[in-house]
Amino acid sequence: MEPQPTEALETVFRLESPRVIAGVARLVRDVGIAEELTQDALVAALEQWPRDGVPDNPGAWLMATARRRAVDLIRRRENYACKLAEIGRDLPTAAAPPEEPAGPDDIDDDLLRLVFTACHPVLSAEARIALTLRLLGGLTTPEIARAFLVPEPTVAQRIVRAKRTLATKNVAFEVPYGPDRAARLGSVLEVIYLIFNEGYAATAGDDWLRPALCEDALRLARVLSALMPKEPEVHGLTALLEFQASRTAARTGPDGAPVLLKDQNRRRWNRMLIARGITALDRAHTTGSGAPGPYVLQAAIAACHATAYTYQETDWPRIATLYGLLAARAPSPVVELNRAVAVSMAEGPAPALTLVDALAAEPALRDYHLLPSVRGDLLLRLGREAEARTEFERAASLARNERERELLTRRARGTDG
């Protein structure tokens, strides 16, 4: 059975809208207007496709329709500018519309411009995430709201304000070069990383995993790798997400409860994603000439887990070393906490507990539930069960995710006599 026009349109629009918005934004130089024109093309398709049938190349149809509307808008602006010129005699005439992209490579360039615009550091992290999922992920406002467990009006306001900020700040629709490139690229990678992490271990709500968010982030990372093949950190992030996503099926039990790494059935890990991760990590090493960046180091750590067929075979000394390099490259209390976990497996719980206790005064970890969780695990391995129970109870009280809270509560009860 052939898909109905409306079903086909929904699928095509989700897949093609980023490219259409990017192509139109190149003409009008405003992502907000570009999205509106793309939505106009969607409305036109809703009117024509049920009557005339789905075109042979629906993506090209949407692009052409949206571009025509963009050119009409530019011409109206030109006419208005000409009338002003006739009145004032000294006002410059608006420039002719830019030429349309000539081929697929130009469209890819437009898509890359859209990535850097949506993730511009002039926007807050929340705004960048919402705008990226809307423009590049093809998600609707209700879908974004459900994914992040926030009210729809909140997401809508973030998106509207983000587009307004880009316009009022005159953010150029361009790919940055020179000194600005590294900082801007860092913002792009951070957005994709945050989207994936929210899907991989949700900060709040009843579900620990939100696979759709992981899939969106991984798709964006793969697109970025294709658009920026010479950037090692882009390949590093892609490799990291491939490795992490490979464990998804094994990270929860039949009832949705979290399954710890040491208890996971590694036969359920996705070997195809692991192979893709290894390939991406190899590309990162091949394209990089200096010291590896934070995402490449994290990918190397994830590779140690992904290539170990059992928990006992994990190369914990190498992981501890890599975390040390990561701590030097991108200092963070969370990185130090993860390094302590690796040290506990490589050298034992006692030296690791010393490292964890040194982090107790860190302001960033004051309400971080994994600090008492890790400390409870170390105390339990040292036979200090009463202290471990107290730590697990504290961790449970700090956890915002219901599934994680239940897991920590069970661990606390498991330390009873």
Side-chain angles (χ1 to χ4, degrees):
M1 178 183 293
E2 293 186 2
Q4 295 299 313
T6 52
E7 295 175 355
L9 178 56
E10 181 180 347
T11 301
V12 169
F13 192 73
R14 187 178 290 272
L15 293 174
E16 297 292 338
S17 61
R19 289 179 178 272
V20 177
I21 293 170
V24 174
R26 185 189 190 200
L27 298 177
V28 300
R29 302 288 166 174
D30 185 305
V31 294
I33 294 175
E35 188 188 13
E36 290 176 8
L37 294 170
T38 302
Q39 291 289 339
D40 288 346
L42 171 63
V43 172
L46 285 170
E47 293 174 349
Q48 294 184 39
W49 290 13
R51 182 187 67 232
D52 302 334
V54 179
D56 293 335
N57 191 334
W61 190 99
L62 288 170
M63 179 72 84
T65 302
R67 282 181 181 164
R68 280 198 297 272
R69 282 163 165 71
V71 171
D72 288 343
L73 175 64
I74 292 170
R75 284 172 177 161
R76 287 197 298 272
R77 289 175 174 173
E78 277 190 319
N79 290 337
Y80 180 66
C82 288
K83 289 178 182 178
L84 289 179
E86 290 174 5
I87 295 172
R89 298 296 181 187
D90 57 348
L91 293 177
T93 304
E99 293 182 4
E100 294 185 359
D105 291 340
D106 290 327
I107 293 174
D108 284 348
D109 287 344
D110 290 339
L111 193 57
L112 191 56
R113 292 185 185 99
L114 184 60
V115 170
F116 276 96
T117 302
C119 299
H120 197 286
V122 74
L123 305 174
S124 68
E126 293 82 5
R128 279 180 274 156
I129 288 171
L131 193 60
T132 298
L133 287 174
R134 177 64 176 269
L135 299 182
L136 293 159
L139 273 65
T140 64
T141 298
E143 286 172 332
I144 299 171
R146 283 197 300 272
F148 283 89
L149 303 179
V150 295
E152 287 183 31
T154 301
V155 173
Q157 288 174 359
R158 287 176 184 172
I159 293 172
V160 169
R161 288 172 183 167
K163 290 187 286 190
R164 185 185 301 134
T165 299
L166 293 175
T168 56
K169 297 286 187 180
N170 294 317
V171 172
F173 187 68
E174 64 182 10
V175 177
Y177 292 95
D180 291 340
R181 189 183 183 104
R184 291 279 300 280
L185 180 59
S187 176
V188 172
L189 298 179
E190 179 191 27
V191 168
I192 298 174
Y193 184 66
L194 290 173
I195 292 171
F196 183 90
N197 276 354
E198 186 59 31
Y200 192 70
T203 55
D206 296 330
D207 298 318
W208 196 41
L209 282 177
R210 296 181 195 141
L213 275 181
C214 293
E215 292 166 7
D216 285 325
L218 185 53
R219 180 166 55 85
L220 289 172
R222 289 171 180 168
V223 168
L224 195 61
S225 289
L227 295 175
M228 306 186 74
K230 297 181 181 180
E231 293 287 348
E233 279 288 81
V234 173
H235 294 305
L237 176 63
T238 304
L240 173 62
L241 302 194
E242 299 278 11
F243 287 134
Q244 299 294 73
S246 71
R247 305 182 209 161
T248 300
R251 294 187 70 238
T252 53
D255 60 349
V259 178
L260 298 176
L261 178 62
K262 65 183 179 65
D263 299 323
Q264 289 175 16
N265 180 356
R266 300 191 176 210
R267 288 177 294 181
R268 299 191 66 198
W269 287 6
N270 189 317
R271 294 294 158 185
M272 183 188 72
L273 293 181
I274 291 174
R276 293 183 67 125
I278 291 171
T279 299
L281 185 56
D282 287 342
R283 288 191 187 121
H285 289 313
T286 301
T287 55
S289 57
Y295 291 110
V296 174
L297 289 171
Q298 289 181 75
I301 292 168
C304 291
H305 292 295
T307 55
Y309 284 94
T310 67
Y311 187 72
Q312 291 72 26
E313 292 177 15
T314 306
D315 191 348
W316 290 107
R318 173 167 171 74
I319 291 176
T321 299
L322 288 169
Y323 268 121
L325 294 174
L326 181 60
R329 190 78 163 79
S332 159
V334 173
V335 171
E336 291 292 352
L337 181 62
N338 288 329
R339 184 171 76 89
V341 173
V343 167
S344 78
M345 299 304 299
E347 303 175 23
L353 184 60
T354 301
L355 296 175
V356 171
D357 286 344
L359 296 171
E362 285 287 346
L365 300 181
R366 183 179 298 114
D367 297 320
Y368 188 51
H369 67 287
L370 292 183
L371 177 61
S373 174
V374 169
R375 193 168 190 276
D377 186 68
L378 297 176
L379 290 168
L380 188 61
R381 289 167 59 189
L382 290 168
R384 295 159 61 176
E385 294 187 357
E387 294 172 82
R389 180 169 60 253
T390 300
E391 292 297 322
F392 286 134
E393 289 172 348
R394 171 169 164 71
S397 71
L398 293 173
R400 294 171 53 201
N401 183 277
E402 185 61 32
R403 292 293 188 176
E404 229 172 349
R405 187 182 303 117
E406 291 171 357
L407 172 64
L408 292 165
T409 300
R410 285 199 304 273
R411 296 205 71 188
R413 290 171 181 166
T415 61
D416 290 333

